[in-house]
Amino acid sequence: MTLELVLLTIVAVSQVAGFTILGIMLYRMWEQTGAVTAATFLQGRRMEAILKEVKEELGRPR
């Protein structure tokens, strides 16, 4: 009876630790995804401005 309780406790603690580690990893991944999304958005805005400048430059008479 005591051996089963010890094993059950060990398994329960390891599962809680595993879920905690998984949660931390998912949170970090979510933060990184948000940062990449923001950077991509800003890059897209900058590319939009550059393309507009190029279009204006090509449209000017020489």
Side-chain angles (χ1 to χ4, degrees):
M1 181 78 173
T2 307
L3 181 60
E4 290 91 5
L5 288 175
V6 170
L7 289 176
L8 184 63
T9 304
I10 290 172
V11 168
V13 168
S14 67
Q15 284 185 344
V16 169
F19 284 130
T20 302
I21 291 170
L22 180 62
I24 291 169
M25 290 172 60
L26 287 173
Y27 179 74
R28 287 182 180 172
M29 188 172 60
W30 176 70
E31 282 184 331
Q32 288 176 353
T33 302
V36 168
T37 302
T40 303
F41 175 75
L42 292 174
Q43 266 186 332
R45 297 289 295 204
R46 181 65 187 138
M47 288 299 296
E48 200 174 283
I50 290 171
L51 290 174
K52 185 177 179 182
E53 289 176 21
V54 169
K55 185 177 179 181
E56 289 172 359
E57 187 69 31
L58 291 176
R60 272 197 225 163
R62 294 183 183 210

